């Protein structure tokens, strides 16, 4: 690697943890807060949508979304997310991380608001409009995955890089928690203001007209945190690693870095940009990439795919599991708003007790234990707890054992977050070359969203066709496969990005036309 480039990047690697690192975590993390809120809040209101738009007068049970409509409403955002991850991942390497970072946030803001304004003369029109805007919401969310991970990895020093990237992702836990809390507050307020009888006492009166505002307010609230951070996101400079290694402008990289980090840089000229592509600048579809990083990409894509089958199945359909074991009362014993309140309360309890702590255990320990050990441990415990729930399933459905089921079920969430849900996000941002880093992270994340779609669509039909017990056994097998594919993922703890990607070796010895004197303050 060129000497002046290497010095700029070494200065980043050894820079002390500073205030701007935490600012970057908040700026990037608010995107993930919004991502999680928007992706998971839909599961809080799908039963309400069924009651409002798909109730047949005279029916003995509340209205429910038809399986195809439910699958579309739950899964269409994942289709958009997958598309956005691939597109913005590629664009982030072509145009730079900063130039496309604001676009993803504005898409999330606009489409969050538009989702809550989905109107139509018939249920089909309302659902079609909702699905349209949730697709584009997912498209914006998808872009945030590779861009936020890559930006944070390229700003961080190598000592605490894992914790910083994991902290950005950990904001997802707060987003899930906020979704439940907002649903509790909104449904609780409407429940007090517009009381109504349970469905079994008055089927028509159990869903008040004002219930239509509940789901809209919950969906639209997701725009607020993203909007609050838009200005600061646009103020972030391009990452020094992109500028130095991809744009080939070490002087500008040094100047950008000195604006936000306390690193003293004195430039003595600017490196001339190479006119020809060096042999080491291999592309994504080259044989050289396949030899150096092919197995790594297989490892990151396969583990993320398998993880998200289990993770999103659990998150999106935990309300059905809780109903099946009797933790949430039967639908006909509640009115429409009460059902939203009960579902939100259950999901918030799970998030508070297991989801959020799991993320932050990863933040605290990832640079001590390493990515590989945490991921392997997480998949292993997910497998054990899935089988422990599934094999004696009848035991857990008995009334006096329900608390035990909830505790065991919560532990699967804890070890997915103190495990592969965090590490599958972190590792792809560390092990690939700078010119392909965002693209490869986008591919890995898109593979995860393909798994999420398998979970969202497959689990919906699986629980109806083969039941909860066999569905849990399948999720246990999926988690077991994740432990095997983890062995394809390299350990990046304590190593620089250039060491992991091989860029330091590939370009070592190249001559530069100017030099930089760099000292770390």
């Amino acid at each position: 690697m060129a000497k002046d480039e290497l010095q700029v990047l070494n200065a980043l690697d050894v820079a002390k943890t500073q205030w701007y690192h935490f600012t970057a975590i908040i700026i990037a993390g608010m995107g993930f807060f919004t991502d999680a809120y928007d992706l998971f809040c839909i599961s809080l209101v799908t039963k309400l949508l069924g009651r409002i738009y798909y109730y047949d007068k005279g029916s003995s049970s509340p209205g429910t979304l038809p399986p195809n409509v439910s699958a579309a409403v739950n899964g269409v955002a994942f289709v958009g997310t997958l598309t956005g991850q691939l597109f913005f991942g590629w664009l982030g390497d072509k145009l730079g991380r900063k130039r496309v970072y604001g676009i993803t946030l504005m898409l999330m803001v606009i489409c969050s608001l538009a989702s809550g304004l989905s109107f139509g003369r018939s249920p089909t029109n309302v659902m079609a409009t909702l699905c349209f805007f949730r697709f584009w919401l997912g498209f914006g969310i998808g872009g945030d995955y590779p861009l936020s991970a890559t930006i944070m990895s390229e700003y961080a020093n190598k000592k605490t890089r894992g914790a910083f990237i994991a902290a950005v992702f950990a904001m997802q836990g707060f987003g899930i928690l906020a979704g439940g809390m907002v649903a509790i507050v909104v449904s609780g307020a409407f429940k007090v203001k517009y009381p109504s009888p349970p469905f079994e006492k008055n089927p028509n009166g159990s869903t008040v007209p004002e219930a239509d505002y509940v789901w809209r307010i919950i969906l639209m609230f997701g725009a607020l945190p993203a909007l609050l951070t838009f200005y600061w996101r646009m103020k972030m400079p391009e990452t020094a690693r992109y500028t130095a290694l991809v744009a080939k402008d070490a002087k500008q990289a040094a100047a950008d870095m000195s604006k936000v980090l306390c690193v003293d840089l004195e430039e003595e000229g600017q490196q001339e940009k190479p006119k020809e592509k060096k042999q080491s600048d291999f592309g994504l579809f080259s044989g050289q990439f396949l030899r150096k990083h092919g197995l790594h990409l297989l490892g990151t894509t396969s583990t993320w795919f398998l993880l998200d089958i289990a993770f999103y199945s659990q998150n999106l359909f935990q309300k059905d599991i809780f109903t099946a074991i009797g933790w949430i009362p039967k639908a006909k014993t509640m009115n429409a708003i009460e059902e939203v309140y009960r579902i939100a309360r259950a999901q918030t309890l799970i998030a508070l007790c297991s989801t959020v702590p799991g993320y932050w255990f990863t933040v605290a320990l990832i640079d001590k234990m390493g990515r590989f050990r945490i991921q392997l441990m997480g998949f292993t415990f997910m497998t054990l707890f899935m089988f422990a729930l599934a094999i004696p399933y009848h035991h857990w459905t008995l009334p006096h054992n329900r608390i035990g089921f909830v505790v065991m079920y919560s532990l699967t969430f804890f070890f997915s977050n103190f495990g592969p849900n965090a590490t599958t996000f972190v590792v792809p941002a560390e092990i690939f070359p700078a010119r392909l880093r965002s693209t490869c992270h986008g591919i890995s994340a898109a593979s995860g969203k393909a798994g999420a779609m398998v979970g969202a669509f497959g689990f919906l039909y699986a629980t109806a066709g083969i039941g909860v017990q066999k569905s849990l056994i399948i999720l246990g097998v999926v988690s077991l496969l994740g432990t095997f594919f983890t062995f394809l993922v390299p350990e990046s703890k304590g190593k620089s990005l250039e060491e992991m990607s091989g860029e330091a070796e590939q370009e070592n010895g190249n001559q530069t036309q100017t030099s930089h004197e760099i000292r770390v303050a």
Side-chain angles (χ1 to χ4, degrees), residues 292-355:
K292 289 180 175 292
H293 300 290
L295 284 178
H296 296 163
L297 188 58
L298 175 61
T300 58
T301 53
S302 59
T303 51
W304 208 335
F305 174 79
L306 294 165
L307 177 276
D308 275 5
I309 292 176
F311 183 74
Y312 282 90
S313 296
Q314 289 176 276
N315 267 292
L316 289 174
F317 299 105
Q318 59 180 286
K319 62 184 183 299
D320 302 304
I321 293 172
F322 291 151
T323 301
I325 66 163
W327 201 42
I328 295 176
K330 292 183 178 179
K332 63 173 60 179
T333 65
M334 300 179 284
N335 63 48
I337 297 176
E338 173 73 15
E339 187 173 35
V340 175
Y341 180 83
R342 292 292 189 101
I343 292 169
R345 190 176 65 177
Q347 294 194 190
T348 301
L349 183 62
I350 293 292
L352 189 63
C353 296
S354 61
T355 304

Side-chain angles (χ1 to χ4, degrees), residues 267-314:
E267 299 89 358
E268 295 181 354
Q270 182 170 353
Q271 179 183 354
E272 183 181 327
K273 297 181 183 180
K275 297 180 181 179
E276 296 182 2
K277 186 178 179 180
K278 294 190 288 292
Q279 187 178 3
S280 60
D281 289 347
F282 51 83
L284 180 65
F285 300 105
S286 66
Q288 196 171 354
F289 177 87
L290 185 63
R291 288 191 299 274
K292 289 180 175 292
H293 300 290
L295 284 178
H296 296 163
L297 188 58
L298 175 61
T300 58
T301 53
S302 59
T303 51
W304 208 335
F305 174 79
L306 294 165
L307 177 276
D308 275 5
I309 292 176
F311 183 74
Y312 282 90
S313 296
Q314 289 176 276

Side-chain angles (χ1 to χ4, degrees), residues 11-33:
L12 275 174
D13 281 333
V14 300
K16 295 179 180 178
T17 299
Q18 298 166 33
W19 180 250
Y20 191 77
H21 286 126
F22 297 104
T23 304
I25 289 172
I26 298 299
I27 295 170
M30 273 300 126
F32 267 89
F33 180 99

Side-chain angles (χ1 to χ4, degrees), residues 10-315:
N10 284 342
L12 275 174
D13 281 333
V14 300
K16 295 179 180 178
T17 299
Q18 298 166 33
W19 180 250
Y20 191 77
H21 286 126
F22 297 104
T23 304
I25 289 172
I26 298 299
I27 295 170
M30 273 300 126
F32 267 89
F33 180 99
T34 304
D35 297 349
Y37 182 97
D38 288 330
L39 285 178
F40 292 108
C41 71
I42 194 67
S43 67
L44 299 169
V45 299
T46 48
K47 290 201 172 187
L48 178 61
L49 292 172
R51 285 186 184 243
I52 294 171
Y53 294 107
Y54 289 90
Y55 171 62
D56 294 325
K57 289 186 178 180
S59 174
S60 60
S61 58
T64 58
L65 294 178
N68 61 327
V69 175
S70 179
V73 169
N74 280 296
V76 70
F78 295 140
V79 178
T81 303
L82 186 153
T83 310
Q85 286 164 336
L86 294 173
F87 177 73
F88 285 109
W90 168 79
L91 204 62
D93 283 333
K94 292 297 179 185
L95 301 181
R97 294 42 160 145
K98 172 185 166 57
R99 292 180 67 180
V100 294
Y101 205 27
I103 299 172
T104 62
L105 204 66
M106 282 312 299
L107 264 176
M108 286 189 276
V109 170
I110 293 168
C111 293
S112 290
L113 295 173
S115 294
L117 298 174
S118 300
F119 292 103
R121 294 186 177 181
S122 69
T124 301
N125 289 343
V126 175
M127 293 301 111
T129 308
L130 177 61
C131 288
F132 173 81
F133 286 118
R134 283 191 63 79
F135 172 84
W136 290 108
L137 171 65
F139 191 69
I141 289 172
D144 221 48
Y145 273 74
L147 294 173
S148 290
T150 302
I151 285 171
M152 199 65 244
S153 72
E154 292 180 345
Y155 268 122
N157 59 56
K158 65 182 180 181
K159 183 179 179 181
T160 57
R161 186 181 62 240
F164 287 167
I165 305 172
V168 170
F169 193 63
M171 295 300 286
Q172 188 181 75
F174 288 127
I176 296 171
L177 181 63
M181 293 175 68
V182 169
I184 288 173
V185 171
V186 173
S187 60
F190 273 75
K191 187 172 66 166
V192 172
K193 182 69 175 176
Y194 305 103
S196 59
F199 179 87
E200 60 186 2
K201 291 186 177 180
N202 186 346
N204 292 327
S206 67
T207 305
V208 295
E210 291 79 8
D212 194 51
Y213 293 112
V214 172
W215 70 270
R216 298 179 187 277
I217 293 170
I218 292 171
L219 294 188
M220 293 171 71
F221 187 85
L224 184 61
L227 191 61
L228 292 175
T229 56
F230 178 75
Y231 171 78
W232 299 106
R233 186 172 283 204
M234 298 309 297
K235 293 274 289 181
M236 292 180 78
E238 183 57 83
T239 69
R241 281 188 160 88
Y242 180 87
T243 305
L245 294 174
V246 182
K248 303 297 183 184
D249 191 344
K251 181 179 180 181
Q252 185 61 47
D256 287 343
M257 185 170 64
S258 64
K259 291 176 184 176
V260 294
L261 296 174
C262 295
V263 180
D264 188 21
L265 304 166
E266 296 178 8
E267 299 89 358
E268 295 181 354
Q270 182 170 353
Q271 179 183 354
E272 183 181 327
K273 297 181 183 180
K275 297 180 181 179
E276 296 182 2
K277 186 178 179 180
K278 294 190 288 292
Q279 187 178 3
S280 60
D281 289 347
F282 51 83
L284 180 65
F285 300 105
S286 66
Q288 196 171 354
F289 177 87
L290 185 63
R291 288 191 299 274
K292 289 180 175 292
H293 300 290
L295 284 178
H296 296 163
L297 188 58
L298 175 61
T300 58
T301 53
S302 59
T303 51
W304 208 335
F305 174 79
L306 294 165
L307 177 276
D308 275 5
I309 292 176
F311 183 74
Y312 282 90
S313 296
Q314 289 176 276
N315 267 292

